[in-house]
Each structure stands twice: as C-alpha cells, then as structure tokens.
Amino acid sequence: MPLNRRKFLERSAAAGAGAAIAGSAAAPAAAAGVREQGPGRGPKRYSFTVMGTTDLHGNVFNWDYFTDREFDDKAHNDVGLAKISTLVDRVRAERGRGNTLLIDAGDTIQGTQLSYYYAKVDPITARRGPVHPMAQAMNAIGYDAAALGNHEFNYGIPVLRKFEEQCDFPLLGANALDAKTLRPAFAPYSMHRLRTPHGRDVRVAVLGLTNPGIAIWDKQNVGGRMVFPGLEEQAAKWVPRLRSMGADVVIVSAHSGSSGTSSYGDQLPYVENAAGLVAEQVPGIDAILVGHAHTEIAEHFVTNKETGAQVVLSEPLKWGQRLTLFDFDLVWGRGRWTVERVGAQVLNSNAVDEDPRIVGLLGDEHRKVVAYVNQVIGTSVAAMTTAEAAWRDEPIIDLINHVQTETVRAALAGGEYGALPVLSQASCFSRTAAIPAGEVTIRDAAGLYVFENTLEARLLTGAQLKDYLEFSARYFVRTAPGAPVDTAQLTNAGGTPDYNYDAVSGLVYDIDISRPAGSRIVDLTFEGAPVDPAARFVLAVNNYRASGGGNFPHVAGAPQLWANSEEIRNTIIGWVQAEGTIDPAAFASVGWRLTREGVPVF
C-alpha cells in the first residue's frame, strides 16, 4: 500500500491551520480553567489539563485473554480503555471538557488477542472489514492525537494505514519519513485551540515522535519504504516551527523511554530511549508524554541545557493501568500566553469501574474473541508452566524450541545448509503461561508467545554462540558459593527483562552465577563433545533478536539462511493441531542449569 502522501498533506495542512480544535464546539471554558485575580488586580490567567496514555497494546477491557479471566497482578492493577474512559470523564467533569486534551504515546494496535483478531483473523483491511476495536474505543472516548509506537508497524503498513483511516484523531510521527522523499509519511504534529474566558485562545501543539528501532525490529515491513531518524534531530527541527506558527504550549508525545539507552547497540546512530535527551537538548518544549519503556514516571523534571527551563516528563503505566495528567497554569502578558507552571501526576485505573458505554460498544467484539481463543486444538499428556522457567530449564520452553527447531530443519532440508545442526533460542515471556494436562486451547498455546515475532534461521559459529550465551547469562545476579539463593532476587540483573534472557536448545551448558558476567558459561558441549569454536550451527531465532533486539552479539550480522512471515505463536498453534498430543517426553531435556563452582544451584 502506498504511503498516502496526499492524505498526509491534507491532514497536516488542516492540523496546521488549527482544524484539530479541542473544545471549539463546546461552551466557553468552565470556571476551573480560570486563574484570575479580579478586574484590575492582576494579569489574566488560565489553566488546562492534558491527559495521556501510552502502550495500551490492544487493551480495551480489564480482561486477560490468555487466562480467560479478569486481569489481575500482584499489585492489583487493572487495565484497559474502558477504565481509562471513566477516569477521563471524571477529569473532564472536574476541569471542564473545553479545558482538556487527551493524547497517547503509541503502541496501540498490538498486544492482546483482541487486537490480533482484528489484524489477522477478521482483519480490518478486508473488503467491508470491521472497524478496529481500539479505533472504536479511542474515538468514543475522544482522543485528540496519538503518536505512533514501534508495534504499530508489526502487522504491516496496510493495517496501520487502515487503522489511521478509522481514527477520528491524527496519528503523529515527525520522524517517520518516506524513504524516497524524506518527508513525513504521517502528520508530524497537531495544533489545538483552547478557548479561554478572556477572548484569547491558547494554542497547544502536540509533536509526535516514534522509535528509531522500528527500522530494525520491523525491517521486513518498512525496509525501503520508511526511515526513522533520531528524536532529538527531528524535535530540534519541528519545535521552532511550531513556536513560529503561534504555539503557546508545545507538548511532545514520544514513543521513547527516558533512560538514554538503546537495546540495539550501534546498529543505528540514534538512541532508542531518548525522551530525556529531547528535553535536555531541544529548547521550547513544555512537557513530554513518555512511552515505550513500560515504566511508571509520575513526574520528572529535566533541565534544558540551553535555556535552563524545566521540562516535565511523565509516563503512565502500560495497558491503561494509569492516566497521566499534565496540569498547566498560563499567564497573559506582552500579547501572548506563557506557561507559568506545569506539573504532572498519574491516576490509577483500578480506582474506578469500567465505563459501561465502552463495554456496550465493544461487547460483541469481546465475546467473539473469547470464543476464538477457547477453541480446543489438542491435548497434553502433562501440565507445564513457566513459573520457574526464568531459572530452570523447563519443558514448556523446550516446547517452543522444539517447534522452532523442527520448523527450521524442515525449511532447510535438502539445501546447502540442510546437514548443519539446528539450535534454537527462546525466552520466558510470561511467568504465568501454562499448558494444562488434558485439552489445550488456542489461548493456552498463544500464551507461550505473547509477541508477534516471526522465525528466522541464522548461521553462527561455535565461538559466536559462546559469546551469545555469555551475553544472555548476565541476566542472573552474581551469587557467591554457599550464599543463600532467593529466586525473587536472582534474575533481571541490571534491569534485564525476562524477554532478554535466552535459553538455547541443542547445546548443553552450565551457567556459573558465582562468576562475573562474561565468563559464566562452563562445559559447553554439543552431542557430548566440547563445542568447536569454528564449527557452524544454524540458530532458529525470532526476528526481534535477529534484527538486533536486546543487542545480543553476532546474530544481527550473521547470514540469514531462511525467514518467514508467520508468527511463531501461530506456528506453535499449528504444530499442536497437527500433532494432536503434546508429550514432554518427546522433546523435554535439561540442556542448561545454574551452578556455583560446579555445584548445581537447584
């Protein structure tokens, strides 16, 4: 599908002309928006609130489609736009709808079986296809703008363009450029006018920035079609323009964390988590809605190096668990509005009920997806769980590796690389995934692989695999021999997420956690013999890792022998359907274990 430059120009021109006007059809601003000391006693003042969400990942309802029950976690968080809608209504009632805006920082259409269903099973791109549930919900709630997230590109540009068409608000991406023209492929910004009681509108610009990592993580969807330069570079280009166009307030909605780090190393010259750098380096920004990192930042101030101004950052927790509120106090002087004070806070969605309007609007879609995920596709001889898979070699992870190994081996059979040994990597994406004994449903199998990753085959040497495993093993906290081992404190060293710890099947090895990271892999063998550093192996690997996700060594630059576009999740589902029965005895083995000076930890 073309990048639809004409549509962008029409929408961008309208936005730049102030067509996206919040509150323009509403009554004059409520009293809550006025901060005035009285006639002749002080300057005119006005207050307004910008609400923000991020990383919604297809969550409309407080429901976990992988467990088929209401969502819950240890902190008793709730999720979903139906909850967010209730919070938004309350804020609008308190502050006056004309004194509020509602924006999002990306990763909207991927993450739940609800969003997957309407991208793949009953796709919105079909002729006379359905309207995406996230578009329906966000339109009903009344979003004013949303930045593009990296996961917006997972299903390809046609699905994203159809979603864009179905939204009543612009999808923003100032650094999502057409590869040929280097012009924005989506609207870079939207401009909003807030009416005040003083006859002087406040003009609020929202600049959308997305993640440069899209060029790596979704190369198969965007390669040759779109490029994604750095956030700081594009913010420096657009913020002065927005100010020259009359913006009184500039807000950045950035699908980029605030840490200044990257998971793709030096594969791109841009920083993945650059929101803090944007605040620090680009003058003229008042607030940044942060996304991508899945962390909660209620309020964080960054000092701009050039002006000394304080820029407030806030990141609401993922999946609709929190709603950010940026509260702005403005003062009129010298013919313009200026920001006198801005602060941020987050509201917890578990404090409210779901909005019955949203529940009623999408109840049919929800029931359809529940029926889909509960289809029985096979049986299992034994129950398996990921509860201890972060520190033990468990059969449930072996299942993923077995399916991947068989798939790649079959794909390479009879070819140049068909005789090489096939290894496989897999991660514990969720510590609550399980395959029950007895009937196995789509949601059971899909719960093993919650991401839309696809499968590739890469060629690596024994020495490169050793480096790969050493990098993976830094996931464990260094623990001295004889010291007590607390599994709650054993993993995620240095903030490494579970999805960046890989177990590799086909090899046998120990991980000595008493040693420093980088020298932990002990007794690495293949078929009973030490691994030859020069030997060649095929690694079945997901496209995220193969594209540099997690910054694992060697794999991104390794020769690609094979790749397909089928999600690994669906490959697992298809394997279960074909086999009929899952029997761990056919594939489970202990290939790795944690040790300290040769003594097993468990």
Side-chain angles (χ1 to χ4, degrees), residues 158-202:
V159 170
L160 175 54
R161 286 299 187 190
K162 189 63 178 180
F163 175 70
E164 179 190 26
E165 179 185 311
Q166 293 176 342
C167 290
D168 294 339
F169 51 90
L171 300 183
L172 308 178
N175 62 327
L177 310 182
D178 183 289
K180 293 181 179 178
T181 66
L182 297 184
R183 295 176 179 175
F186 294 83
Y189 66 91
S190 57
M191 190 76 78
H192 310 264
R193 289 180 182 267
L194 300 179
R195 290 182 175 177
T196 78
H198 309 298
R200 306 283 187 176
D201 291 350
V202 172

Side-chain angles (χ1 to χ4, degrees), residues 1-5 7 109 119-120 124-125 132 148-166 171 176-180 184-186 214-215 218-228:
M1 179 173 288
L3 291 180
N4 206 343
R5 171 75 179 157
K7 179 178 177 181
I109 60 171
K120 291 288 189 176
I124 61 174
T125 49
H132 199 289
L148 293 164
N150 55 286
H151 283 290
E152 258 66 82
F153 295 85
N154 285 174
Y155 298 119
I157 290 176
V159 170
L160 175 54
R161 286 299 187 190
K162 189 63 178 180
F163 175 70
E164 179 190 26
E165 179 185 311
Q166 293 176 342
L171 300 183
L177 310 182
D178 183 289
K180 293 181 179 178
F186 294 83
I214 295 166
D218 268 299
K219 183 178 180 179
Q220 64 183 9
N221 291 326
V222 301
R225 305 186 67 187
M226 297 181 68
V227 294
F228 302 86

Side-chain angles (χ1 to χ4, degrees), residues 323-490:
L323 176 70
T324 278
L325 304 185
F326 291 108
D327 291 310
F328 290 86
D329 290 335
L330 276 59
V331 61
W332 178 265
R334 297 184 179 181
R336 62 186 294 267
W337 290 105
T338 57
V339 175
E340 190 173 49
R341 191 202 72 85
V342 58
Q345 59 177 307
V346 294
L347 303 181
N348 195 328
S349 66
N350 71 6
V352 297
D353 295 327
E354 291 186 325
D355 184 342
R357 182 172 59 105
I358 304 302
V359 173
L361 178 68
L362 291 163
D364 287 346
E365 286 84 347
H366 172 69
R367 287 185 286 272
K368 196 179 291 186
V369 174
V370 168
Y372 164 73
V373 300
N374 280 293
Q375 294 178 56
V376 175
I377 56 173
T379 60
S380 179
V381 171
M384 297 179 286
T385 176
T386 57
E388 297 185 348
W391 57 85
R392 292 182 191 270
D393 188 348
E394 291 283 7
I396 197 166
I397 304 299
D398 291 339
L399 172 60
I400 299 172
N401 276 326
H402 179 68
V403 172
Q404 293 182 165
T405 299
E406 283 201 342
T407 302
V408 168
R409 187 176 285 134
L412 298 180
E416 179 183 356
Y417 303 98
L420 291 180
V422 179
L423 314 177
S424 176
Q425 63 80 222
S427 303
C428 176
F429 292 137
S430 166
R431 299 195 187 190
T432 59
I435 296 292
E439 291 186 338
V440 177
T441 63
I442 285 178
R443 66 177 172 83
D444 296 324
L448 298 183
Y449 222 102
V450 298
F451 297 109
E452 270 71 47
N453 294 339
T454 57
L455 189 61
E456 297 189 16
R458 297 283 178 132
L459 183 65
L460 282 86
T461 67
Q464 290 174 327
L465 283 163
K466 173 73 158 43
D467 290 344
Y468 188 101
L469 291 171
E470 288 286 8
F471 186 87
S472 184
R474 64 196 183 111
Y475 169 76
F476 297 102
V477 174
R478 189 176 184 182
T479 309
V485 175
D486 178 2
T487 55
Q489 305 295 324
L490 180 61

Side-chain angles (χ1 to χ4, degrees), residues 16-67:
I21 299 175
S24 59
V34 180
R35 295 289 185 273
E36 190 173 6
Q37 298 180 15
R41 295 195 299 168
K44 297 180 177 66
R45 299 184 188 279
Y46 175 72
S47 297
F48 71 97
T49 297
V50 176
M51 298 173 281
T53 55
T54 191
D55 296 280
L56 292 168
H57 283 288
N59 285 280
V60 173
F61 302 102
N62 188 43
W63 193 260
D64 185 342
Y65 293 95
F66 293 123
T67 61

